[in-house]
Amino acid sequence: MVGLVRDLESETRRRGTVASDARRPLPATGLVKTRELHLDHRPSRLDRDLSALLERPVRFANDANCFALSEAVDGAGAGARASSSA
């Protein structure tokens, strides 16, 4: 994931925001076991570890929420203000 983000940013010459579908719900503690980050399979705070590697906040959510957040922050909705209908 880190390599992909760095490659895309190098190619586009833009720094992006990062959100990812976690494939399964993350526990409330945020601790997950992943051999990609730790060969000894010790639990880690995936969000914190990736944030440190990418030097920015990383968010995990379901894919629909990630898509909506991306559109709101970086896509068609960027800069839009919410309207109130009272």
Side-chain angles (χ1 to χ4, degrees):
M1 181 179 208
V2 172
L4 178 63
V5 170
R6 289 183 177 154
D7 288 348
L8 287 170
E9 290 180 341
S10 176
E11 186 176 318
T12 62
R13 295 188 176 130
R14 293 181 60 202
R15 182 177 170 96
T17 56
V18 180
S20 176
D21 177 20
R23 286 195 185 194
R24 62 180 183 257
L26 294 179
T29 63
L31 290 172
V32 294
K33 286 186 178 183
T34 174
R35 67 175 165 235
E36 288 82 7
L37 290 177
H38 302 290
L39 295 178
D40 60 2
H41 300 276
R42 64 184 164 88
S44 68
R45 283 289 311 263
L46 188 56
D47 58 343
R48 205 176 327 170
D49 291 347
L50 287 173
S51 290
L53 290 168
L54 291 169
E55 301 174 335
R56 74 196 82 185
V58 174
R59 306 286 188 250
F60 287 90
N62 70 45
D63 57 349
N65 288 349
C66 287
F67 176 74
L69 180 60
S70 177
E71 279 299 304
V73 174
D74 300 317
R81 298 184 65 181
S83 64
S84 62
S85 55

